[in-house]
């Protein structure tokens, strides 16, 4: 069975699975249902577009002001190309991007780039953290080069610092910004459900989801109670080492970490955990 095959088992039958995912929340909930579980969605992140940053990036790119472009997420690539499509300048933008040295972190930006015929010179190895991307810069000339660093929902100082330390002139670009959701009621309800023992598992797919959950818990003075409940009563699943580390920093040890960083693998790993520990 491939890493992206549907989750068909019923090991989550009768279990309530809390989800913090926003962008792909419906997909994750469907996977939980396929495995017999009852999903409870409480999106913890709102992605706010920054069109002014994207337009500035696009303008400087097509003017030939960058020697290298570094993408940290697929959403960053999509923001640039979707804006180009809306303005009718996709071909011009793809050509300009192809004339630069491209680096990217992880399979998502790589996939978007390849769909447009673009091949990065440097890509990160698994588990696709910032450190693996930094390692991929070995052998890439950076002294005096003009680099566009396209961040995720918040700036990644580690990557920018390394680029600057090697002599690059870095332009930081944020295509979107992570914020708390406007409606925080579902998160408060989720915190209460976790404390009351009505949640069997919590699935976390990015570190900002967990940080925002605890920001809400702090605001309602339930941070310690939430940490204790997650650490003792709830099975916590996480995608990737960065996400897992954010969970550990809150005093909670992740119980489930899939080998492959995708949603089907996460749900399958959770189902396997319950199957192995049942009885």
């Amino acid at each position: 069975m491939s890493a992206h095959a549907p989750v068909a088992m019923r090991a989550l039958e009768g279990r309530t699975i809390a989800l913090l995912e926003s962008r792909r929340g419906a997909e994750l909930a469907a996977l939980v249902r396929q495995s017999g579980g009852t999903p409870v969605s409480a999106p913890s992140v709102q992605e706010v577009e920054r069109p002014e940053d994207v337009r500035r990036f696009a303008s400087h790119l097509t003017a030939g002001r960058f020697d290298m472009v570094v993408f940290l997420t697929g959403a960053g690539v999509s923001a640039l190309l979707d804006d180009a499509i809306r303005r009718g300048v996709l071909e011009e933008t793809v050509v300009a991007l192809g004339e630069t040295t491209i680096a990217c972190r992880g399979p998502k930006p790589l996939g978007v780039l390849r769909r447009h015929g673009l091949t990065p010179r440097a890509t990160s190895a698994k588990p696709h953290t910032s450190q693996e991307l930094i390692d991929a810069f070995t052998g890439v000339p950076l002294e005096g080069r003009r680099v566009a660093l396209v961040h995720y929902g918040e700036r990644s100082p580690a990557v920018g610092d390394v680029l600057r330390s090697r002599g690059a002139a870095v332009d930081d670009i944020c295509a979107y910004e992570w914020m708390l959701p406007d409606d925080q009621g579902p998160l408060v309800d989720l915190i209460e459900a976790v404390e009351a023992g009505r949640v069997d598992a919590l699935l976390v797919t990015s570190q900002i989801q967990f940080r925002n959950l605890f920001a809400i818990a702090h605001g309602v003075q339930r941070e310690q109670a939430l940490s204790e409940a997650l650490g003792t009563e709830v099975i916590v699943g996480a995608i990737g080492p960065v996400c897992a580390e954010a969970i550990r920093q809150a005093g909670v040890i992740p119980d489930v970490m899939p080998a492959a960083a995708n949603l089907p693998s996460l749900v399958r790993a959770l189902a396997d955990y319950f199957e192995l520990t049942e009885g």
Side-chain angles (χ1 to χ4, degrees):
M1 183 180 292
S2 73
H4 295 279
V7 180
M9 60 203 107
R10 307 293 294 178
L12 301 183
E13 196 80 52
R15 302 185 190 276
T16 298
I17 314 300
L19 314 176
L20 302 178
E21 175 68 29
S22 301
R23 188 192 308 158
R24 300 175 67 188
E27 178 184 351
L28 184 55
L31 289 168
V32 169
R33 290 190 191 95
Q34 287 175 25
S35 196
T38 300
V40 175
S41 296
S44 65
V45 182
Q46 177 181 195
E47 291 185 353
V48 179
E49 294 182 357
R50 296 172 58 97
E52 67 284 353
D53 269 35
V54 175
R55 293 288 172 88
R56 178 175 63 83
F57 173 33
S59 174
H60 289 184
L61 176 67
T62 53
R65 296 185 187 179
F66 297 125
D67 303 303
M68 181 176 181
V69 179
V70 180
F71 291 105
L72 298 183
T73 68
V77 187
S78 296
L80 170 66
L81 299 180
D82 289 348
D83 176 74
I85 291 171
R86 287 192 293 269
R87 294 187 294 116
V89 294
L90 177 63
E91 184 176 355
E92 176 184 351
T93 302
V94 170
V95 169
L97 195 55
E99 292 173 350
T100 71
T101 297
I102 304 173
C104 69
R105 186 189 70 174
K108 292 181 181 178
L110 179 61
V112 179
L113 289 164
R114 284 180 171 170
R115 285 198 294 273
H116 291 272
L118 296 166
T119 302
R121 174 172 175 178
T123 60
S124 62
K126 290 182 178 180
H128 303 300
T129 69
S130 295
Q131 185 56 55
E132 283 73 41
L133 179 60
I134 290 169
D135 293 343
F137 292 148
T138 303
V140 177
L142 293 171
E143 181 69 38
R145 305 195 82 192
R146 300 162 299 176
V147 179
L149 176 55
V150 186
H151 294 271
Y152 39 87
E154 61 186 9
R155 295 196 177 198
S156 172
V159 177
D161 288 349
V162 168
L163 291 169
R164 292 183 177 93
S165 72
R166 291 185 52 189
V170 180
D171 187 352
D172 292 292
I173 297 155
C174 292
Y176 58 95
E177 183 178 3
W178 286 331
M179 299 182 68
L180 288 167
D182 291 332
D183 182 8
Q184 298 171 11
L187 284 167
V188 174
D189 292 343
L190 175 60
I191 292 167
E192 293 177 353
V194 167
E195 292 180 23
R198 298 195 301 270
V199 171
D200 297 293
L202 172 70
L203 296 183
V204 189
T205 60
S206 72
Q207 49 95 8
I208 187 61
Q209 293 175 6
F210 200 79
R211 284 167 39 201
N212 279 0
L213 173 66
F214 268 76
I216 297 297
H218 178 75
V220 295
Q221 300 182 334
R222 310 290 283 275
E223 192 173 7
Q224 184 60 38
L226 176 62
S227 179
E228 291 175 359
L230 290 176
T232 58
E233 304 297 331
V234 178
I235 303 305
V236 178
I239 285 184
V242 175
C243 180
E245 180 56 29
I247 294 171
R248 292 189 188 99
Q249 287 177 2
V252 179
I253 305 300
D255 302 284
V256 175
M257 289 184 61
N262 58 68
L263 302 187
S265 294
L266 177 61
V267 176
R268 186 176 298 109
L270 179 65
D272 288 344
Y273 179 93
F274 280 121
E275 281 193 323
L276 291 170
T277 57
E278 232 175 17

